[in-house]
């Protein structure tokens, strides 16, 4: 009797298997909410469970947003430091320190160039930057 039952069960499973597979293929799981969907979408590309499960993805996305907020501020500092380094190198080629150059520029009230523009001039247009340094030297030495 058990042999007959085993054969019947195996035959039944072979008959039902194609329908079960197609049923599983048709089954599609949705997210619990739009918030879950949004977080999982933001976590795309993360490693491990962080790109599949909501709880892990939420923690990683929150931390990523904290890093993004912090680094937007940090990028501004980094670029300002870079511009100051380039200006210092450029002004020292013309026998002047960065601090004197900036103070002369502030006192002159004629030149409205910021550090970004001046650093670009110092790096890409050395003759133009020399002209700017010469003008700042003249204006800085003359009594105001």
């Amino acid at each position: 009797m058990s042999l007959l039952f085993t054969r019947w069960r195996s035959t039944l499973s072979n008959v039902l298997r194609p329908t079960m597979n197609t049923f599983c293929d048709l089954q599609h799981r949705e997210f619990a909410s739009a918030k879950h969907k949004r977080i999982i979408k933001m976590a795309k590309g993360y490693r491990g469970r962080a790109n599949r499960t909501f709880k892990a993805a939420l923690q990683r996305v929150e931390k990523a947003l904290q890093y993004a907020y912090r680094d937007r501020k940090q990028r501004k500092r980094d670029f300002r430091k870079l511009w100051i380094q380039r200006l210092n190198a450029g002004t020292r080629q013309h026998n002047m320190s960065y601090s004197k150059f900036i103070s002369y520029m502030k006192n002159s009230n004629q030149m409205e160039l910021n550090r970004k523009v001046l650093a670009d001039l110092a790096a890409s247009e050395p003759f133009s930057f020399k002209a700017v340094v010469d003008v700042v030297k003249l204006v800085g030495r003359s009594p105001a």
Side-chain angles (χ1 to χ4, degrees), residues 3-144:
L3 183 63
L4 181 63
F5 181 73
T6 310
R7 284 186 181 165
W8 178 78
R9 193 174 69 187
S10 66
T11 308
L12 182 63
S13 65
N14 288 339
V15 169
L16 291 178
R17 184 167 288 136
T19 58
M20 289 174 64
N21 285 346
T22 56
F23 175 73
C24 291
D25 292 340
L26 294 175
Q27 183 179 338
H28 181 66
R29 186 170 186 281
E30 292 292 326
F31 289 102
S33 67
K35 178 182 174 184
H36 286 211
K37 189 174 186 177
R38 189 184 76 231
I39 295 295
I40 295 293
K41 186 176 179 182
M42 289 173 73
K44 186 176 181 181
Y46 290 0
R47 297 181 73 158
R49 288 186 320 149
N51 65 7
R52 292 185 301 273
T53 62
F54 174 72
K55 187 174 180 181
L58 182 63
Q59 292 171 353
R60 295 312 313 145
V61 166
E62 283 179 351
K63 193 64 175 179
L65 292 173
Q66 289 173 1
Y67 286 143
Y69 178 80
R70 180 198 67 189
D71 291 341
R72 281 194 297 272
K73 314 294 180 213
Q74 187 70 40
R75 181 176 45 206
K76 292 173 181 64
R77 285 181 232 148
D78 290 344
F79 271 108
R80 184 179 168 96
K81 282 173 26 180
L82 177 68
W83 298 330
I84 289 172
Q85 289 170 358
R86 286 181 179 174
L87 276 176
N88 193 17
T91 54
R92 288 192 185 275
Q93 287 178 349
H94 303 294
N95 301 323
M96 189 176 207
S97 69
Y98 166 79
S99 59
K100 285 192 179 192
F101 178 73
I102 291 296
S103 68
Y104 288 170
M105 278 201 53
K106 295 288 182 195
N107 293 338
S108 70
N109 291 330
Q110 294 175 351
M111 302 187 76
E112 296 287 332
L113 298 174
N114 60 14
R115 287 172 177 82
K116 179 180 178 181
V117 172
L118 288 168
D120 188 45
L121 270 178
S124 61
E125 299 285 335
F127 294 114
S128 302
F129 185 70
K130 183 181 180 343
V132 170
V133 171
D134 291 342
V135 168
V136 169
K137 278 183 183 177
L138 288 175
V139 172
R141 287 187 184 146
S142 65

